[in-house]
Amino acid sequence: MASPTYQPRVTTSSNGWRNTTGGADGSRRPSHQQRPEEEQAGPAGPKLRPGFGLRGPRRSPHVLTPESLASLTLPVGDDGVIIGIDPQNQPAVLSLLRPAPMEIALVGSVWMAQVLALRTVATGARVAVETARPPVWGQMAQAAGGGQQCVSVHEVRQIAPQGPSVSSPVLVVRDMGARPPRNQLAPSPWQSVLTVLPFLGPRSPQMLSRADLVGLQRLSPEEADVVTRIMRLPEQVGAVLPTLSDNAMLWCSREGHQFVMTQPTEAETNLLGGPRRMD
């Protein structure tokens, strides 16, 4: 067998893609040794050429004294889902996912529940829907998350544990009419449960009194009287409930209440249609 032959290595200039193999005098220098000009640079290191290396700050006006730290402020508002605007035309933020268990009752339309679900997904959370009408939620689930599986739809009593955590919170939406069966996934840390009620049924007063947060769309005068009594609302507030528009809501808890106007975005309108009270 013939001995293999090798082509001589090509030496290129220092401004090419390959490293030079010899110095100016033709001598060879191991690649791990410093260049002569680097040795002459001393402890300060070689002189950096423009565009190479980090020069670092050359001045210190950006450095604060310890006494100046108290003057720094960072404005931080409530975190959560922007559900609309309040009567003062300010953003209304609803904290749907918390480190403590939270149960929410929504007396209103699936349209409103789906808007809340989409905006919850936009915050990085997951949404699991347990519903008796999967086709109503199917299109929204496919469109949410930009192709990622952020919304899952399950038949009644077919929903599995979701494994919520601080890095992956979950909103469980239950859409099963005015008489929903017992919940299989109870509220837990970082897993809130939102039950959609199209109208007040026989068991609705118990659900409203047990809920941590209640959302109300337009109600009949009889329903408004029941809710006013259960939620201990002022009479003038309860009198407004039968007159609310399709995109207006009253959110109330044991601490207080707030009217909110939900304004859908163009993407939400294209996907879900316009605001409505009944589906």
Side-chain angles (χ1 to χ4, degrees):
M1 179 181 296
S3 300
T5 58
Y6 300 91
Q7 297 294 330
R9 179 174 296 179
V10 180
T11 301
T12 60
S13 61
S14 60
N15 60 356
W17 288 98
R18 303 180 185 177
N19 293 325
T20 56
T21 58
D25 56 355
S27 63
R28 302 182 64 85
R29 175 185 58 81
S31 60
H32 65 277
Q33 292 185 358
Q34 291 182 321
R35 297 177 183 274
E37 61 270 18
E38 295 176 352
E39 296 177 352
Q40 297 176 2
K47 184 178 179 181
L48 295 176
R49 292 179 292 169
F52 294 87
L54 298 176
R55 294 181 177 273
R58 293 173 176 266
R59 302 177 184 175
S60 58
H62 65 284
V63 179
L64 295 176
T65 61
E67 294 77 13
S68 303
L69 293 177
S71 62
L72 292 178
T73 59
L74 181 62
V76 177
D78 294 335
D79 62 338
V81 179
I82 299 180
I83 58 174
I85 57 174
D86 60 18
Q88 289 72 40
N89 205 31
Q90 297 298 317
V93 180
L94 190 63
S95 182
L96 293 176
L97 299 166
R98 302 176 181 179
M102 186 177 184
E103 187 169 354
I104 310 163
L106 171 62
V107 185
S109 63
V110 171
W111 180 89
M112 186 65 69
Q114 290 181 338
V115 169
L116 293 176
L118 286 174
R119 297 186 181 186
T120 301
V121 168
T123 65
R126 293 180 288 131
V127 173
V129 183
E130 183 182 8
T131 177
R133 39 183 178 177
V136 175
W137 289 87
Q139 183 179 2
M140 189 277 289
Q142 294 178 359
Q148 299 182 358
Q149 188 63 30
C150 300
V151 179
S152 58
V153 181
H154 310 268
E155 296 277 357
V156 178
R157 300 187 182 278
Q158 298 299 318
I159 187 171
Q162 298 298 307
S165 64
V166 62
S167 60
S168 182
V170 180
L171 175 64
V172 178
V173 180
R174 307 183 70 229
D175 172 33
M176 290 170 283
R179 297 183 179 182
R182 184 180 298 274
N183 185 15
Q184 291 184 300
L185 296 183
S188 62
W190 301 112
Q191 178 173 281
S192 300
V193 177
L194 186 150
T195 302
V196 183
L197 302 173
F199 52 86
L200 296 184
R203 294 177 6 190
S204 297
Q206 297 179 357
M207 297 183 59
L208 297 183
S209 60
R210 187 177 64 246
D212 302 296
L213 183 65
V214 176
L216 304 168
Q217 280 190 279
R218 185 173 60 251
L219 303 176
S220 66
E222 295 77 15
E223 291 175 322
D225 293 338
V226 174
V227 170
T228 300
R229 183 181 69 256
I230 296 174
M231 302 305 299
R232 299 179 180 179
L233 298 173
E235 293 184 1
Q236 60 271 25
V237 173
V240 177
L241 292 176
T243 65
L244 294 178
S245 61
D246 286 347
N247 60 338
M249 290 194 67
L250 175 68
W251 289 95
C252 49
S253 65
R254 299 179 182 89
E255 289 75 27
H257 58 274
Q258 178 69 67
F259 284 102
V260 175
M261 179 77 69
T262 301
Q263 299 175 319
T265 63
E266 182 179 357
E268 292 169 345
T269 301
N270 293 336
L271 178 61
L272 306 176
R276 54 188 179 273
R277 171 59 181 91
M278 298 298 296
D279 298 289

